[in-house]
Amino acid sequence: MTESTATPTIALGENQYGKAEVRLVRIDRDTERHRITDLSVTSQLRGEFTVAHTEGDNAPVVPTDTQKNTVFALARDGVGAPEAFALRLAEHFTSSFDWVTGGRWAVQQYSWDRIPSALTSHVTDGTHDHAFVRGGTETRTAVVQRDGDDVFVVAGLEDLAVLKSTGSEFHGFPKDRYTTLPETADRILATSVTARWRYLDEVDYDAVFADVRRIMLETFADVHSLALQQTLYRMGERVLAEHGDIGEIRFSMPNLHHFLVDLEPFGLDNPGEVFYAADRPYGLIEAEVRRTDVDPEPRAWASVTGFC
């Protein structure tokens, strides 16, 4: 067999570039009760950048430093909902540079809670007007992708830690010679919810986000769970039932196991009170709940890493 001497045909494939994880903190001071918005913003542009790759010609390359500065400059006029801020960035770059035909703008929003205070000055409803404490692990997320005139908004949250001390069972599963897990009619159900959903229309992003979060928490608490899969599906089902402006919702939910500790070697009983929290390995449950009357839109999810 002889090696081919033909020159292979090679071309640049899909590409994007930008500035990742721009840390932005905006303090709104229009009243004495300040508001804090804490974001990590990633801007990535798509368009006609072939010559930059093939010839080293930077004529079309909007510097990533310029993208960073734009994030800060647009924040001067206010941030608002992370989805709305990402949409403003998308509009700015695609309207300012003819060869930028689209892109991806991802935003993470970190929570801050007001610090309770017994003082009478600089305090409203028992909390300080301009002193904050960092919230829990939960992070709000938003990804805006633009492809020409088509715009896709995917909102969500990650690391929403929830736990039920009862109201969860797991039994009826198949068993083979490697199965050691016992069936149970009462167990701790704990997970860290990552969820993303696609909007079909422009909405009040802050209000809908808050309501979707409420629905997910209430459903997790209320459903008597026979499996984490069942709980996941019920959460998504209720979100779609109450929000016609959402096309589909995806979940990634680890089953964070809690094992009852055997205290008999110490002469003690353990009536379901002392557990070992195992951080790994863990079961990982992922699924999409969708409307059957809405067409899928793969472009909206193309650059969402992992399942969601």
Side-chain angles (χ1 to χ4, degrees):
M1 181 181 294
T2 59
E3 294 185 5
S4 172
T5 59
T7 302
T9 301
I10 298 173
L12 179 69
E14 293 185 5
N15 62 92
Q16 61 185 20
Y17 82 99
K19 187 68 86 177
E21 299 188 42
V22 178
R23 292 291 285 109
L24 164 66
V25 175
R26 160 83 191 201
I27 306 295
D28 288 297
R29 306 175 184 272
D30 51 332
T31 69
E32 292 186 0
R33 189 165 175 82
H34 296 170
R35 299 182 304 279
I36 183 171
T37 304
D38 187 352
L39 305 178
S40 175
V41 182
T42 293
S43 170
Q44 295 173 289
L45 307 183
R46 300 171 186 157
E48 186 46 63
F49 301 108
T50 302
V51 294
H53 292 268
T54 60
E55 302 176 27
D57 182 350
N58 292 324
V61 178
V62 181
T64 64
D65 190 67
T66 300
Q67 296 181 53
K68 174 202 69 178
N69 293 339
T70 303
V71 169
F72 294 133
L74 266 60
R76 177 62 183 85
D77 293 329
V79 173
E83 296 88 350
F85 189 62
L87 286 167
R88 288 171 58 201
L89 288 167
E91 175 61 25
H92 170 84
F93 286 111
T94 56
S95 63
S96 298
F97 306 96
D98 293 341
W99 59 92
V100 177
T101 58
R104 176 183 186 271
W105 292 269
V107 182
Q108 293 178 301
Q109 180 171 352
Y110 308 109
S111 63
W112 289 86
D113 299 323
R114 297 184 184 277
I115 296 176
S117 176
L119 299 176
T120 56
S121 60
H122 305 300
V123 172
T124 305
D125 296 330
T127 59
H128 205 282
D129 289 340
H130 53 257
F132 305 84
V133 59
R134 182 67 178 265
T137 58
E138 177 190 350
T139 303
R140 180 176 174 179
T141 62
V143 176
V144 167
Q145 301 201 69
R146 183 160 183 164
D147 182 8
D149 292 331
D150 296 331
V151 181
F152 310 102
V153 180
V154 175
L157 53 79
E158 56 192 24
D159 297 327
L160 177 62
V162 290
L163 180 150
K164 290 176 66 169
S165 56
T166 190
S168 175
E169 308 177 27
F170 190 60
H171 48 74
F173 48 85
K175 304 174 182 65
D176 66 9
R177 62 181 178 144
Y178 300 119
T179 302
T180 59
L181 182 71
E183 296 191 348
T184 178
D186 189 12
R187 66 170 182 171
I188 289 176
L189 182 65
T191 187
S192 180
V193 180
T194 294
R196 294 184 192 267
W197 53 92
R198 177 173 67 96
Y199 287 117
L200 302 176
D201 300 296
E202 186 173 346
V203 299
D204 182 337
Y205 296 111
D206 283 341
V208 175
F209 174 85
D211 198 54
V212 170
R213 183 182 184 276
R214 174 193 63 82
I215 291 169
M216 290 192 295
L217 289 175
E218 287 183 359
T219 307
F220 177 84
D222 293 344
V223 169
H224 184 93
S225 180
L226 301 178
L228 186 54
Q229 287 91 332
Q230 176 202 20
T231 298
L232 178 157
Y233 184 80
R234 294 290 180 243
M235 291 165 66
E237 182 181 47
R238 187 175 165 197
V239 167
L240 296 183
E242 298 192 23
H243 286 281
D245 42 27
I246 294 176
E248 68 271 350
I249 182 168
R250 292 184 177 184
F251 294 93
S252 180
M253 296 169 59
N255 199 339
L256 303 178
H257 305 298
H258 289 67
F259 298 109
L260 194 68
V261 178
D262 181 9
L263 298 180
E264 285 189 7
F266 318 121
L268 301 171
D269 66 351
N270 187 4
E273 295 178 348
V274 180
F275 295 85
Y276 165 64
D279 65 340
R280 65 196 66 181
Y282 52 84
L284 182 59
I285 314 303
E286 298 180 314
E288 177 185 82
V289 185
R290 63 182 183 87
R291 299 184 185 281
T292 58
D293 59 344
V294 172
D295 292 334
E297 183 44 83
R299 289 179 295 172
W301 299 93
S303 67
V304 175
T305 57
F307 189 84
C308 61

